[in-house]
Amino acid sequence: MGRTPEELLVLADINPELDQILKDSPMPPPVDPDIDIPKLRAAILAGRKGLAAPNPAEEVSYLEEDRQIRVRDGSSIAVRIHKPRAVPIDGCPIFVVYHGGGFTLGGLDDESLMCRNFTELGGIAVNVDYRLAPEHPFPVPIEDAFDALKWTAANFEELGGNPKKGFLVGGISAGGNFGAIVSHLYRDERLSPPLTGSYLSIPACMTAELVPEKYKAVFLSREQNMNAPILNKNSMRLFDRHYNSDKRSPLANPINFRSHTDLPPTYFQICGMDPLRDEALIYEEILREDNGVKTLVDLYPGLPHGFWSVWTEAGFTKTFRDDCVKGMKWLLEQSKQ
């Protein structure tokens, strides 16, 4: 196993820059696990209003188009297509993106920056507005996510894609969980074009009862970081109650798939002060050591889950943003091999 318990525990020692930020501006109290979800959504939306909008005075290098696509129950969901203003004649790689938000929050604006950055790399991003719990509990959100991936595969050329340049899937937090799961589903259904990369940022991968025996001694972060900023025992209780998933289903946790072979190269982002830290580290090791999957990991010691969405101007967030682009580049490089 890669790290000792002692080495893991040290990863939660607070980042010095964050320590100073919190001394100057303490975090608000943890979210009430019984809060009304629509009220929480409204408060988050009000706080983020205008953040994703480009400066109207600036000429942008990308185009964005919202579409409605049909999913398995006959409903429609939205996808936002982000593409370069000038699509090359031989097409682009495509990246299917799922936002985070604990399966209950978030929308198309959340990952606008990552999608726009992918267009700067010459790619097309398909940003998926999957339906949310509690209105649409498990398994509807993950089924929407997979249906959007299959829709993208079926419409690859029409979208301007070239599968030889790359076909990526993934997302952040809940979206990282979806990315890990749909990679398995896509493999099992033997769909084409083949996936060439998976992007798993701060993903949920397993619960305590699902941790393989040999890793139980290094599954420490859910308890160690239960009172961390942003994601903690209160917010996890809130999300779990509303998503109401079957923890032993492969549609809920990727560790439940019988096999993890023949998966595409996978990029991980993992935070040291995150309750989800150790399950991501364990899952990465299982992919790499036991199944021969090529992986790349960026680790952020002393920083909590999704830190970049709160401290947008911090130095550590700049590092993270740079890593996002490097991670996408790495996945595209693997696509060529």
Side-chain angles (χ1 to χ4, degrees):
M1 286 178 281
R3 292 177 174 84
T4 65
E6 294 75 21
E7 289 170 333
L8 290 169
L9 293 173
V10 168
L11 292 174
D13 290 350
I14 192 166
N15 173 284
E17 185 183 0
L18 178 59
D19 191 28
Q20 186 59 53
I21 289 171
L22 291 177
K23 286 175 181 175
D24 296 337
S25 303
M27 285 287 290
V31 66
D32 178 354
D34 298 315
I35 192 172
D36 179 71
I37 288 288
K39 286 184 179 178
L40 182 57
R41 289 177 187 154
I44 292 171
L45 191 61
R48 292 182 178 176
K49 194 171 183 180
L51 290 181
N55 184 336
E58 292 181 5
E59 183 175 349
V60 295
S61 60
Y62 54 83
L63 298 172
E64 295 175 344
E65 174 196 0
D66 288 359
R67 296 194 192 181
Q68 293 288 320
I69 66 169
R70 190 77 66 184
V71 292
R72 67 186 67 188
D73 67 1
S75 300
S76 293
I77 64 170
V79 295
R80 180 168 295 161
I81 315 298
H82 308 250
K83 60 174 58 179
R85 188 171 288 277
V87 173
I89 194 168
D90 61 342
C92 303
I94 293 183
F95 182 11
V96 177
V97 177
Y98 308 119
H99 66 81
F103 313 101
T104 65
L105 306 170
L108 291 175
D109 290 340
D110 289 28
E111 300 311 326
S112 290
L113 180 59
M114 183 164 73
C115 292
R116 291 167 184 167
N117 284 340
F118 192 65
T119 70
E120 295 289 339
L121 300 178
I124 295 168
V126 178
N127 188 355
V128 181
D129 196 21
Y130 57 87
R131 288 172 289 176
L132 301 172
E135 296 87 349
H136 303 281
F138 177 86
V140 172
I142 179 60
E143 290 177 344
D144 283 356
F146 188 41
D147 289 352
L149 180 64
K150 292 194 288 185
W151 176 86
T152 303
N155 293 277
F156 212 90
E157 291 187 7
E158 185 269 326
L159 289 168
N162 178 348
K164 292 181 180 179
K165 292 189 175 184
F167 188 14
L168 315 182
V169 68
I172 285 72
S173 192
N177 169 268
F178 290 170
I181 292 166
V182 300
S183 296
H184 288 81
L185 297 174
Y186 198 89
R187 174 204 64 187
D188 291 347
E189 292 197 12
R190 301 186 179 187
L191 299 173
S192 63
L195 290 173
T196 62
S198 186
Y199 186 113
L200 307 185
S201 181
I202 52 174
C205 301
M206 65 194 77
T207 54
E209 65 270 22
L210 301 174
V211 177
E213 187 63 36
K214 76 173 185 175
Y215 292 106
K216 288 189 182 297
V218 291
F219 186 76
L220 306 170
S221 56
R222 287 217 178 193
E223 181 174 352
Q224 183 191 21
N225 295 323
M226 68 168 62
N227 296 313
I230 307 176
L231 188 68
N232 47 56
K233 62 182 179 182
N234 278 19
S235 50
M236 291 181 74
R237 179 180 150 197
L238 173 74
F239 299 146
D240 287 347
R241 179 163 57 88
H242 288 300
Y243 192 40
N244 195 28
S245 67
D246 173 4
K247 298 295 188 288
R248 294 194 175 275
S249 168
L251 296 180
N253 288 292
I255 194 66
N256 291 324
F257 283 91
R258 293 183 179 180
S259 166
H260 306 291
T261 59
D262 301 318
L263 294 173
T266 304
Y267 171 59
F268 286 84
Q269 294 175 317
I270 303 171
C271 299
M273 204 190 291
D274 187 350
L276 306 184
R277 178 194 70 210
D278 294 342
E279 62 202 79
L281 289 169
I282 291 167
Y283 182 64
E284 185 275 334
E285 186 168 324
I286 289 171
L287 294 190
R288 173 174 44 84
E289 292 290 334
D290 299 343
N291 294 280
V293 177
K294 195 168 186 179
T295 65
L296 176 67
V297 178
D298 278 320
L299 187 59
Y300 304 95
L303 293 170
H305 186 95
F307 61 85
W308 55 89
S309 64
V310 177
W311 300 288
T312 57
E313 302 301 319
F316 49 71
T317 293
K318 183 183 184 304
T319 299
F320 167 81
R321 298 289 184 204
D322 291 343
D323 288 344
C324 291
V325 175
K326 291 175 185 175
M328 290 187 289
K329 284 182 176 178
W330 180 81
L331 289 173
L332 291 176
E333 288 167 4
Q334 311 317 305
S335 303
K336 298 173 183 176
Q337 296 180 9

